[in-house]
Each structure stands twice: as structure tokens, then as C-alpha cells.
Amino acid sequence: MGFYSQRILPYLLDWSLSDPSIAKYRREILVEVKGEVLEIGFGTGLNLSYYPQSLAKLITIDSNPGVNQLAQKRIQSSSITVDNHILNSENLPMPDDTFDSVVSTFTLCSIAKVEQALQEVYRVLKPGGKFFFVEHGLSNEPKIQVWQNRLTPIQKVIGDGCHLNRNIRQLVEQQFDTVTLEEFVGENLPKIAGYLYKGVAIKAK
């Protein structure tokens, strides 16, 4: 990772993903999280204030060491004990059937081997465990899809691997049998980058 990814991008991510419209969707999806919890793509820790106060401990990972400095400020001010690691999501060191809940928000867009990462999420969930996610991705409007496909090569450079055109529904449903999700354009968000997928996937018992 270069200077941009570690020193500039973390501040851009923190600014753009702190939008009040996005906060609303974080709050809606995280309210049901419980038990032993893993968050992949922890970033600057924006989810911390939306977890239930009853949550005792949270294990978090992110592959970019540059976001860690911003995340530490939120970790220190949180009542939740956070065990934070610099790791990628494609090769998790945790044993099978470890977590009751796994969380991902605005992360699946930028993981290089996203199918492998979702396989890992499934593996570390306990039977009956839940994967909670809010992600942006491929629009359901063909005209918007054209622009998403055109702009994704540029976005991957600006956003350190971020894709505008990933079909999140398809990716999650390939791995999980039971998936409940909503697709919509986020409030006050541009259609090209603001087509959202919010849902829960359950590992078979």
C-alpha cells in the first residue's frame, strides 16, 4: 500500500462515509447484531456508535493500516471492548463456527477476492449465525449500469479497489441459502455510487 492508500484515503473514506444518510442504514442493520461478533472492513470505526450497548466484545479486521489511527480514537471512546487486527478478509485466522454475527458495511465493493472473503465469512459463522451487511453496488437501471461499468476502472484507483458495479445480491446468494435484503437508492446519494443493498444472510444449521 502506498502513501495515498494509507495517508490520504482514510480521511476521504471517513468524510464520505460519515454522511447522515448512510448513518441511518448503519443503525437499521446493526440493531440486531448480538453474541460473538466479527466486523470485516472496520475502516475508521464508523459503525461503533451503532452497535447495541449490550455488546460486550467486538473483533474487527481491516487490511489498511492507514485507517487504524482514526479507528483508535473511536475505539478509545467506546464502551465496547474492541479487539482490532490488521488483516484481510480473504484468509481469516479464526476457527470454523466461531461467531454469532459477522458485519460488513461498504466493504465488499473493495475486496479483491470477494467470493473467497464471503466463503470465509460463512466458514467462521456458527450454524444459524447471521451475516449483516450494507453495501453499494450494481444498479437495477441499465443506463446507470453502463456508467457504473465505465467509471469502475477510475473508481478502483480513487477508492483503492472499490467497484461501483458489483452485484451484491448475487455474490451473497451464491454463498448463503437464506438471504433477506432490500435494494434501493440511498437518500440524497447519487445513483451511480448510491445504489444500496441492505440485508441479512443466515448460515444453515
Side-chain angles (χ1 to χ4, degrees), residues 15 33 57 85 124 187:
W15 170 74
V33 172
K57 184 178 180 180
H85 301 270
V124 300
E187 184 179 346

Side-chain angles (χ1 to χ4, degrees), residues 12-204:
L12 294 177
L13 289 174
D14 195 65
W15 170 74
S16 62
L17 294 175
S18 296
D19 188 284
S21 299
I22 295 175
K24 169 186 174 182
Y25 307 124
R26 294 181 191 277
R27 185 181 298 107
E28 289 172 353
I29 201 67
L30 294 175
V31 70
E32 298 296 331
V33 172
K34 61 183 179 180
E36 298 289 326
V37 182
L38 169 70
E39 181 177 338
I40 65 171
F42 185 59
T44 61
L46 286 168
N47 283 337
L48 261 181
S49 61
Y50 303 109
Y51 279 106
Q53 290 301 304
S54 58
L55 198 66
K57 184 178 180 180
L58 173 68
I59 295 177
T60 64
I61 65 168
D62 200 289
S63 62
N64 185 347
V67 299
N68 192 52
Q69 184 177 353
L70 294 176
Q72 285 301 320
K73 295 177 182 179
R74 292 190 170 99
I75 290 171
Q76 291 167 12
S77 63
S78 175
S79 61
I80 299 170
T81 300
V82 179
D83 185 5
N84 189 26
H85 301 270
I86 300 173
L87 294 168
N88 70 55
S89 306
E90 295 134 324
N91 296 286
L92 298 175
M94 297 82 172
D96 296 357
D97 307 335
T98 298
F99 298 101
D100 300 287
S101 306
V102 176
V103 171
S104 170
T105 62
F106 304 99
T107 296
L108 298 182
C109 61
S110 58
I111 299 174
K113 299 177 182 176
V114 65
E115 292 92 349
Q116 183 175 321
L118 284 167
Q119 290 172 5
E120 284 289 89
V121 167
Y122 190 89
R123 180 184 66 79
V124 300
L125 275 171
K126 296 176 182 178
K130 296 181 178 181
F131 174 47
F132 297 85
F133 58 92
V134 182
E135 302 285 348
H136 75 99
L138 188 69
S139 172
N140 64 348
E141 297 183 39
K143 290 182 180 179
I144 300 299
Q145 290 178 6
V146 169
W147 281 103
Q148 288 180 317
N149 292 330
R150 286 175 179 170
L151 294 174
T152 285
I154 300 171
Q155 177 68 10
K156 285 168 66 178
V157 175
I158 296 171
D160 198 25
C162 174
H163 294 67
L164 297 169
N165 59 353
R166 281 187 170 167
N167 188 327
I168 303 300
R169 174 186 288 274
Q170 185 179 79
L171 287 166
V172 176
E173 287 182 345
Q174 282 175 352
Q175 186 60 57
F176 289 86
D177 294 324
T178 304
V179 181
T180 303
L181 66 79
E182 303 172 57
E183 296 183 37
F184 54 94
V185 177
E187 184 179 346
N188 300 322
L189 298 178
K191 287 187 175 182
I192 289 175
Y195 190 81
L196 304 183
Y197 297 75
K198 178 169 71 76
V200 181
I202 304 174
K203 181 175 179 176

